[in-house]
Amino acid sequence: MPSSRMRTAEGRIVCNEGHGGIFYRLEAALPDPVGFVPGQFAMVSGWPGNDPLLPRPLAIFRSAAGPKGKGTVEFVYKVVGRGTALLSGLHPGAPLSLTLPLGRGFDLGKEGRLYWLVGGGVGFSSVFPAAAALARKRADFEMFLGSRTRDQLPPKEWTPGGTAPGRLHLCTEDGTAGFFGRVTDAVTERMGLLSASEASRLTILSCGPWEMLKELALGAANRGVEMQAALESHMACGFGVCWGCVVALREDEKTAYRRVCKEGPVFDAREVVW
Amino acid sequence: MKPDLSVTLGSLRLRNPVMSASGTFGYGLEFAPFYDISRLGAIVVKGLSLAPTHGNPPGRIVETASGMLNAIGLQNIGVERFIEDVAPRLADAGATFAANIYGRTVEEYEEVARRLSGLPSLAAIEVNASCPNVKEGGIAFGSSPEGVSRLTGRVRNATDKPVWVKLSPNVSDIGSVAQAAEGAGADAVSLVNTLVGMAVDHRTRRPKLSNVTGGLSGPAIKPVALRMVWEACKRVKIPVIGIGGIQTAADALEFLLVGASAVQVGTANFRNPGVCVEILEGIEAFLREERLSGIGEYRGKLAL
Ligand SMILES: Cc1cc2nc3c(=O)[nH]c(=O)nc-3n(C[C@H](O)[C@H](O)[C@H](O)COP(=O)(O)OP(=O)(O)OC[C@H]3O[C@@H](n4cnc5c(N)ncnc54)[C@H](O)[C@@H]3O)c2cc1C
Ligand SMILES: Cc1cc2nc3c(=O)[nH]c(=O)nc-3n(C[C@H](O)[C@H](O)[C@H](O)COP(=O)(O)O)c2cc1C
Ligand code: FES
């Protein structure tokens, strides 16, 4: 049984290659397999030296049990700065330092619900594991993926849950693939077509840029749709000891700062002060 | 023969010189999944205030060259919840622990110290005399020998626990500030806290921290910290606890070499949650390798 206990692990890179020019898939061998809830993440480092000093948070994309009780874990990432650039330069065989699994993932526990999974940009990295889990449970779900242009959509072979008709909706801001426009517009438009009883059965699971999540959250709140949002934040530790990563949440009548790495990264969208 | 790792800080004997630094180790229990937290010389918990504190708005941390800036604003659960919920569990785990405290006024410091005094399992109180937001009569406590002396004296009288005074590096003469703490009855001084710094974005033209300025920590500050610890050690007879940028056993040994009696490890815990134990094991290995019977044979033996 893969253990979902938080631990540090020295991994070894098995594969770290670019896909479609913008996403990298990083696979590492681990001493033992990792169990995780979709939306949970790891703190990852591997470059030598002290600069950058801090590890980087990456959503756990997949994990598997390997031979002889060992395991593997996979991440997908986009190069946006120094840390991810250094990560992209690491070769198979190189060590990778990991702390995982971290945070609170998506709640997929409820029976009889309809799920819409919404991923913006590299946000598909936490949405795909949720899709895979829902597909295994034969739950009812659809997936909306948005990007600026066709080349920035995730490679087809990574898309879980099969290609049942009506299941996958691609959106590009320049109209080069799928729906012409932003993924928020596509989702809001579809939400507008739902009956009240359909809306009450729907849960949106989402990950992407703050502005996208904010707009979705407002749209969902208007239609009485439940939404779980996986947030990002700058992190130092990733396991709840520095209080650096907080986001403002509404609690009763007050707001409180809660840690994205511990109480999140997945939050009930109605509680977030957007 | 197994070298003797134990150290004494005044009346207090610690099993080894490696402690966690306040604010980088949560309340200690968070590290129990990684190793047996009773192995540490001591755990110093997040700064505690009289009432729970919300802290600063986000934009609390920024990474800098070999370091980081933080402006957490001392978000914490408050001293009462620490006493009720956390301290018993630390005691059950067999951990030696100290409480870092801060207040907005001297009276608040006194009150927090008084409440903690009733905790039999508490090893010491570390007074954060280096919070830039804490003012009295217009003088930040930590920035002058007079301020440190007054604060130390008042906390000293409020508790029977050993009092460690944590000093700010943002002063021109660290030796005088350390002496002021000693004169007012501190059992030890710990230094350094973070160095005040700043980061801005040249494109958005905005500061990167909501608080505009923040505290610099990590390997970037180690040379400054080492120099200040060395200076303080020359000026006081009470034990000095060395802090600042320690990531390896060699770093920790350097602080002991210039005279520190013990060390605290802060930011390094973020990148490697197991680092304190690695440092501890590294120190033991070094003593063996050098055929030293204990820390005492090495501490303060800088060859000038
Ligand atoms: C829980 C969680 C899961 C994540 N999962 C993934 C993932 O699966 N794949 C992936 O590609 N990325 C993911 N990210 C984002 C990823 O951590 C950042 O892109 C990465 O830390 C950037 O590091 P860098 O050194 O390359 O960039 P930096 O040089 O640190 O920054 C480059 C630019 O990105 C911005 N930035 C940096 N970190 C963040 C952040 N956390 N949130 C928003 N903006 C940021 C900076 O402000 C700057 O403008 C996740 C973040 C979190 C918090
Ligand atoms: C995120 C963070 C929070 C901190 N909070 C406190 C605190 O509450 N009280 C305190 O006395 N020092 C606090 N510090 C300072 C550290 O205890 C330590 O003195 C400083 O970081 C230098 O050591 P380092 O370079 O090993 O981190 C904090 C440091 C960091 C990075
Ligand atoms: S990143 Fe340290 S508490 Fe969340």
Side-chain angles (χ1 to χ4, degrees), chain A residues 5 34 46-47 55 60 98 131 150 197 203 229 250 263 273:
Chain A
R5 152 189 72 81
V34 181
W47 51 87
I60 302 177
L98 299 161
R150 180 199 178 96
S197 82
T203 299
R250 217 169 276 117
E263 286 79 37
V273 180

Side-chain angles (χ1 to χ4, degrees), chain A residues 2 17 26 29 31 42 50 54 68 71 73 84 87 105 119-120 122 168 172 186 191 204 212 232 257:
Chain A
E17 53 187 29
L26 171 62
N50 293 325
L54 301 169
K68 295 187 200 149
V73 62
T84 45
L87 210 54
V122 74
L168 182 63
T172 51
M191 266 197 290
I204 292 178
M212 174 197 119
E232 285 192 1
Y257 293 125

Side-chain angles (χ1 to χ4, degrees), chain A residues 10 49 51 55 59 61 95-96 150 155 176 180 189 202 213 226 255 271:
Chain A
E10 274 304 307
D51 199 15
F61 190 62
L96 195 70
R150 180 199 178 96
T176 45
F180 190 165
E189 205 175 294
L202 178 63
L213 296 174
E226 215 179 82
T255 62
E271 288 172 8

